[in-house]
Amino acid sequence: MTEICEPEFIDGTPYGCGACEECHQDEYDAIEADVEMGVITHAEALDLHHRNGAL
């Protein structure tokens, strides 16, 4: 039986287990949103994706 990941909210930000597919997708989406809002550069996003194992 697969356990459902339920994110924990810390200071209004959800933090999941970091191991399931849903958490990986959420992290990817958050990084891409930061790029779109100009919080980080595309190069910084690529570095984050690489460290998170998304690339």
Side-chain angles (χ1 to χ4, degrees), residues 4-5 13-14 17 21 29 33 35-36 40 42 47-48 51 55:
I4 297 172
C5 178
T13 302
C17 68
E21 183 63 34
D29 293 344
V35 171
E36 288 179 20
I40 61 175
H42 184 69
D47 184 51
L48 286 171
R51 282 190 276 148
L55 296 178

Side-chain angles (χ1 to χ4, degrees), residues 2 10 13-14 20 24-25 27 34-36 38 42 45-46 49 53:
T2 303
I10 301 172
T13 302
C20 69
H24 286 294
Q25 185 63 47
E27 181 67 23
D34 283 348
V35 171
E36 288 179 20
H42 184 69
L46 289 175
H49 286 314

